Amino acid sequence: MKKLWMFLLAFLGILFMSSCGPDNTLVVYTEAGFAPFEYQTASGIEGVDIDIMKKVGEKLGRRVKFENVQFDAVIEEVAKGNLTNVGAAGLSVTPEREERVAFSHEYYQATLYVIFDKQNASKIENFSKKMSDGNEGVYWEKLKTSMGIGVQPGTTADIFLKDEVNPDLNGSLVGSKVTNFSNLSVGVNDIGVNTDYLIIDELPAKKLVSGKNNLDCLPLYYPGGEGANDVLAADKYAIAVTKGHDELLAAINSVLDELMNDVTTDSNGLEMNGIDRLVEKHLNPTKSNFFKYLGQGFLNTLLLSISAALIGLLLGGIIAVIKVLSKDNKYLKVPALICNIYTTIIRGTPVALQLFLMVFAVLAFPGFKPFAVVLTFGLNSSAYVSENIRAGIMSVDKGQMEAGRALGMSHYKTMVKVVFPQAIKNVIPSIGNELIALVKETAIVSMVGATIGTLTFDLNAATQAISAETANYLAASLMSGVLYLIIVYGITLLIKLFERRYAQVDKR
């Protein structure tokens, strides 16, 4: 038991040392599924916004650390200012957002594109046409559908689409169903299945349809009316900063101004500023080593599951013993009541909710995310383990306790020498099932941010990173599914080994 505690404490200490950077670290929140502005590679997060913030770090003399989170969490956490003071994720400036955070100078115009199935679009009369600016495009009204229109929550596309489906604004898509996708690769694979279209900005749209012969993408327009030009659906990007951090905001604006004023002419005579050159640099990144993604995800899933299981087994065992012994010990009545309340709350609320509360509220401190993640799954597991162990203890025949006491053994010694060994044999299958469930539950850890090189980059995060680069979610999911199966099968074999060992003991 002491060795287990020492291992657990050492592991948590390593987590703390590895996750806590120096005091001058600038943590930047982003969503690394939005190439070329931010995307995962085997060496970390790369992209236009990443390069911009690295230049800001150099100007301020600060180390920059990038955290990959859900897109709709970026503004939320920047506004709080606890875990980060900067959000760089292709953010559009809206009045609602300006009330919560400060924004840098706008540095890039984002044109909205619709991704569609070529065969389905061919059945719609005049789906696309030549616009007044000479480019081929699609009017919003052509997207009216009985299936669904996919969008990533909180993006420019989401903001524009909400207006179009809003009956109070007489939108052209009133009555159409909107489907939210946190992962754009999933949204692309859903076209023609549950949705007809996916709306996203130009560059990510072009990357997502690359290599998919059945899909195409075109810009979205508002009709200009008689004698007026058609209007392109577009918005501009800016970087979000926690209000009151004026020095940081000034440094970001200074870097953006330098890049936008650094105009050069390429070999074709086209003028490009620094931002344009960064975009061009990241349009065709080097292909990543997908096996490295899966390998790191596999190891992190194992590490997270083992550490959470240790907490669950140790704490669950203590809770179970307190509950059982409280029947004959008046001093344990109050602790038992606390344990009952604890298990009721933990078992009665979703683990995803517990994870969000622990990471973004209870332990919302820089560098504490690995602790919060391990602790959440450990505490959640302990509630179920405690009930399994308690049930195992209660399943031991009462005559065993009476026989031990009749032989002159104390209540404590009888529990340790007679009851507990039999209870352990009884609960091995149920504990095994809980460990298997724990491994699969850890797949939600990427919901709080999964950056390669950190504990939260698990198998599910590896799947998302691969699918974001290949736009093939099915193949990535199958690969990670095989690795999950290997882990679960390993646990099954281990449980069977324990069962055989106890069976041999019974035969003696």
Side-chain angles (χ1 to χ4, degrees), residues 424-442:
I424 291 173
K425 182 188 70 173
N426 294 341
V427 302
I428 285 177
S430 58
I431 293 295
N433 289 334
E434 168 55 27
L435 293 178
I436 290 171
L438 175 62
V439 170
K440 292 183 285 188
E441 283 175 355
T442 60

Side-chain angles (χ1 to χ4, degrees), residues 267-324:
S267 57
N268 298 317
L270 180 66
E271 288 190 345
M272 301 177 70
N273 63 30
I275 299 293
D276 296 328
R277 291 195 296 275
L278 287 179
V279 170
E280 187 177 51
K281 168 188 171 184
H282 291 285
L283 277 178
N284 297 297
T286 305
K287 293 293 182 181
S288 299
N289 185 341
F290 299 145
F291 291 106
K292 183 174 181 180
Y293 285 153
L294 291 171
Q296 185 172 140
F298 181 80
L299 290 175
N300 283 340
T301 297
L302 270 179
L303 193 59
L304 177 57
S305 301
I306 291 172
S307 55
L310 284 174
I311 294 175
L313 288 171
L314 292 171
L315 184 58
I318 292 170
I319 292 172
V321 170
I322 289 174
K323 286 184 176 182
V324 171

Side-chain angles (χ1 to χ4, degrees), residues 196-370:
D196 279 327
Y197 312 108
L198 178 69
I199 300 175
I200 195 62
D201 297 346
E202 176 185 5
L203 297 179
K206 289 181 177 179
K207 182 168 180 60
L208 287 167
V209 301
S210 177
K212 291 188 174 290
N213 297 326
N214 63 316
L215 299 180
D216 200 356
C217 63
L218 286 171
L220 281 168
Y221 285 81
Y222 295 100
E226 189 175 350
N229 291 329
D230 298 312
V231 180
L232 194 64
D235 207 347
K236 293 185 177 181
Y237 294 158
I239 295 172
V241 179
T242 306
K243 287 188 174 182
H245 289 254
D246 298 331
E247 181 184 356
L248 176 58
L249 183 59
I252 293 172
N253 284 333
S254 176
V255 168
L256 291 175
D257 290 343
E258 289 171 6
L259 287 169
M260 289 187 285
N261 292 329
D262 183 16
V263 180
T264 59
T265 304
D266 66 7
S267 57
N268 298 317
L270 180 66
E271 288 190 345
M272 301 177 70
N273 63 30
I275 299 293
D276 296 328
R277 291 195 296 275
L278 287 179
V279 170
E280 187 177 51
K281 168 188 171 184
H282 291 285
L283 277 178
N284 297 297
T286 305
K287 293 293 182 181
S288 299
N289 185 341
F290 299 145
F291 291 106
K292 183 174 181 180
Y293 285 153
L294 291 171
Q296 185 172 140
F298 181 80
L299 290 175
N300 283 340
T301 297
L302 270 179
L303 193 59
L304 177 57
S305 301
I306 291 172
S307 55
L310 284 174
I311 294 175
L313 288 171
L314 292 171
L315 184 58
I318 292 170
I319 292 172
V321 170
I322 289 174
K323 286 184 176 182
V324 171
L325 296 182
S326 65
K327 294 181 179 180
D328 301 315
N329 190 326
K330 63 180 181 179
Y331 298 108
L332 293 177
K333 297 293 183 183
V334 173
L337 176 62
I338 294 172
C339 289
N340 281 323
I341 295 172
Y342 167 80
T343 53
T344 299
I345 293 174
I346 296 296
R347 295 170 72 200
T349 53
V351 65
L353 175 62
Q354 297 166 17
L355 184 62
F356 270 95
L357 289 175
M358 188 68 77
V359 172
F360 296 120
V362 179
L363 292 178
F365 307 106
F368 272 71
K369 184 184 288 186

Side-chain angles (χ1 to χ4, degrees), residues 68-197:
N68 180 30
V69 299
Q70 296 285 335
F71 183 82
D72 47 3
V74 175
I75 293 292
E76 183 72 26
E77 294 308 315
V78 172
K80 291 178 184 176
N82 294 330
L83 300 174
T84 181
N85 298 125
V86 187
L91 299 169
S92 300
V93 181
T94 66
E96 294 79 11
R97 288 175 176 176
E98 285 185 302
E99 290 179 2
R100 307 190 66 196
V101 298
F103 278 101
S104 69
H105 298 160
E106 295 172 337
Y107 62 93
Y108 188 83
Q109 177 168 297
T111 302
L112 287 187
Y113 268 56
V114 56
I115 301 176
F116 55 90
D117 185 282
K118 294 178 184 178
Q119 187 175 357
N120 291 341
S122 66
K123 300 174 184 177
I124 302 174
E125 185 178 359
N126 298 323
F127 177 75
S128 62
K129 59 168 288 189
K130 212 81 161 174
M131 299 297 169
S132 59
D133 59 6
N135 295 317
E136 188 177 6
V138 179
Y139 288 137
W140 280 95
E141 61 192 34
K142 291 294 182 179
L143 304 186
K144 198 168 182 67
T145 173
S146 58
M147 286 182 66
I149 303 173
V151 71
Q152 188 177 40
T155 58
T156 305
D158 186 30
I159 295 168
F160 275 66
L161 185 58
K162 282 177 179 175
D163 289 344
E164 293 303 308
V165 298
N166 191 337
D168 296 332
L169 300 177
N170 298 316
S172 60
L173 300 177
V174 174
S176 295
K177 186 176 78 171
V178 177
T179 304
N180 291 325
F181 293 101
S182 59
N183 188 303
L184 292 175
S185 300
V186 178
V188 168
N189 284 282
D190 199 49
I191 295 174
V193 182
N194 298 300
T195 58
D196 279 327
Y197 312 108

Side-chain angles (χ1 to χ4, degrees), residues 330-479:
K330 63 180 181 179
Y331 298 108
L332 293 177
K333 297 293 183 183
V334 173
L337 176 62
I338 294 172
C339 289
N340 281 323
I341 295 172
Y342 167 80
T343 53
T344 299
I345 293 174
I346 296 296
R347 295 170 72 200
T349 53
V351 65
L353 175 62
Q354 297 166 17
L355 184 62
F356 270 95
L357 289 175
M358 188 68 77
V359 172
F360 296 120
V362 179
L363 292 178
F365 307 106
F368 272 71
K369 184 184 288 186
F371 280 108
V373 167
V374 170
L375 194 59
T376 299
F377 289 110
L379 294 178
N380 181 270
S381 180
S382 70
Y384 293 92
V385 168
S386 68
E387 287 302 292
N388 289 333
I389 295 176
R390 186 185 67 83
I393 295 173
M394 299 302 293
S395 68
V396 178
D397 192 278
K398 292 182 179 179
Q400 299 293 311
M401 172 62 76
E402 294 171 356
R405 297 305 299 275
L407 291 173
M409 299 172 67
S410 66
H411 185 277
Y412 171 78
K413 194 170 185 179
T414 305
M415 288 291 291
V416 172
K417 298 290 186 179
V418 179
V419 177
F420 283 170
Q422 296 181 63
I424 291 173
K425 182 188 70 173
N426 294 341
V427 302
I428 285 177
S430 58
I431 293 295
N433 289 334
E434 168 55 27
L435 293 178
I436 290 171
L438 175 62
V439 170
K440 292 183 285 188
E441 283 175 355
T442 60
I444 69 169
V445 70
S446 58
M447 292 171 61
V448 297
T451 306
I452 192 165
T454 66
L455 183 68
T456 55
F457 192 84
D458 69 331
L459 273 174
N460 191 43
T463 301
Q464 294 178 28
I466 295 171
S467 62
E469 190 163 325
T470 63
N472 193 334
Y473 197 82
L474 179 59
S477 298
L478 288 174
M479 287 189 289

